[in-house]
């Protein structure tokens, strides 16, 4: 009886040992595969970042051919990356494509709380004369965001584009009270004066 029990235990130990030996390479395979996927993902992110840096440099140099080449690399490396879409929108702005607005809207949809992305969309909408898109984007700002000088500038630009003098006057006075004069404000003020019904003030612009 004892001999039989001993043999059973011995067989059980052998089976467990075999199973353990089989589990080691299986676990190693899946561990290697997971680590490999992580390394590959990191490599793609690194590759995209390098391509985006070069794309931005080409855009700054007004070299659309070079920018497009680097953008293609970035968009393939990590599809759908918000930063890559931002740079793609900058590229479309460089080449004067109306598709820029579509990308700006996509970015805002992905991150509706981003003030800078919404401002970029409004600027594109005004440049492309899509005033409905600009108006809709402006109305999405929170009351706290509206107090920011950059947002007030966007409202002022829209008022000027719509030739709404009373609103433009009020917005400029509000902006001048909270922000130091800069080139953008001087340009907006000159535009405001050019639209003024008083001929002397209009001529002074």
């Amino acid at each position: 009886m004892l001999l039989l029990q001993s043999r059973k235990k011995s067989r059980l130990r052998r089976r467990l040992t075999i199973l353990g030996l089989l589990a080691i390479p299986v676990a190693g395979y899946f561990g290697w595969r997971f680590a490999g996927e992580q390394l590959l993902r990191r490599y793609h992110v690194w590759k995209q970042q390098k391509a985006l840096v070069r794309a931005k440099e080409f855009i700054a140099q007004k070299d659309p051919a070079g920018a497009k080449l680097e953008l293609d690399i970035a968009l393939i490396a990590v599809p759908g990356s918000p930063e890559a879409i931002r740079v793609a929108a900058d590229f479309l702005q460089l080449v004067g494509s109306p598709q820029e607005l579509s990308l700006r809207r996509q970015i805002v949809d992905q991150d509706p709380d981003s003030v800078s992305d919404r401002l970029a969309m409004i600027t594109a909408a005004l440049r492309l004369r899509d005033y409905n898109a600009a108006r809709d984007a402006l109305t999405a700002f929170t009351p706290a965001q509206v107090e920011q000088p950059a947002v007030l500038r966007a409202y002022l630009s829209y008022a000027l584009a719509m030739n709404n003098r009373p609103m433009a006057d009020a917005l400029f006075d509000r902006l001048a009270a909270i922000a130091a004069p800069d080139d953008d404000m001087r340009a907006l003020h000159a535009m405001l004066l050019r639209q003024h019904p008083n001929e002397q003030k209009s001529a002074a612009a």
Side-chain angles (χ1 to χ4, degrees):
M1 186 69 179
L2 292 173
L3 181 60
L4 182 60
Q5 289 178 349
S6 177
R7 287 178 178 174
K8 287 182 178 178
K9 289 180 179 178
S10 179
R11 285 198 296 269
L12 180 60
R13 281 196 297 270
R14 283 199 298 270
R15 287 175 183 173
L16 291 174
T17 301
I18 292 170
L19 288 173
L21 291 173
L22 289 173
I24 291 172
V26 171
Y29 167 74
F30 284 107
W32 171 84
R33 185 172 179 181
F34 176 76
E37 289 176 353
Q38 291 291 101
L39 288 173
L40 186 60
R41 191 176 296 111
R42 289 179 184 176
Y43 167 72
H44 283 161
V45 171
W46 173 84
K47 184 177 181 180
Q48 183 189 71
Q49 291 302 314
K50 295 288 286 184
L52 288 177
V53 169
R54 290 192 293 265
K56 290 175 183 178
E57 291 173 351
F58 282 125
I59 290 172
Q61 296 165 9
K62 302 189 184 304
D63 181 351
K68 186 179 185 308
L69 179 63
E70 297 298 338
L71 262 177
D72 288 342
I73 295 172
L75 292 169
I76 291 172
V78 185
S81 161
E83 182 59 22
I85 297 173
R86 286 186 187 95
V87 179
D90 292 341
F91 166 76
L92 292 177
Q93 178 183 344
L94 174 66
V95 299
S97 171
Q99 292 302 315
E100 176 201 351
L101 181 56
S102 177
L103 287 189
R104 301 285 186 197
R105 183 180 285 111
Q106 181 180 338
I107 296 166
V108 169
D109 289 342
Q110 289 179 348
D111 188 5
D113 294 329
S114 172
V115 172
S116 59
D117 287 327
R118 190 173 296 279
L119 288 172
M121 176 189 166
I122 293 166
T123 300
L126 291 174
R127 189 186 328 111
L128 296 168
R129 298 184 180 181
D130 189 337
Y131 301 123
N132 289 334
R135 180 198 61 215
D136 292 343
L138 283 167
T139 57
F141 283 119
T142 66
Q145 290 170 342
V146 170
E147 297 304 318
Q148 298 179 24
V151 177
L152 283 174
R153 284 191 183 96
Y155 271 97
L156 177 53
S157 296
Y158 175 76
L160 288 168
M162 300 306 294
N163 211 15
N164 188 332
R165 281 221 33 96
M167 179 182 288
D169 283 334
L171 285 167
F172 185 84
D173 291 342
R174 188 173 169 189
L175 182 59
I178 64 171
D182 57 16
D183 290 342
D184 288 341
M185 282 186 64
R186 293 187 187 96
L188 289 170
H189 189 221
M191 191 180 301
L192 200 58
L193 288 175
R194 281 196 295 271
Q195 294 181 5
H196 203 283
N198 186 309
E199 292 183 1
Q200 289 183 345
K201 289 189 176 182
S202 179

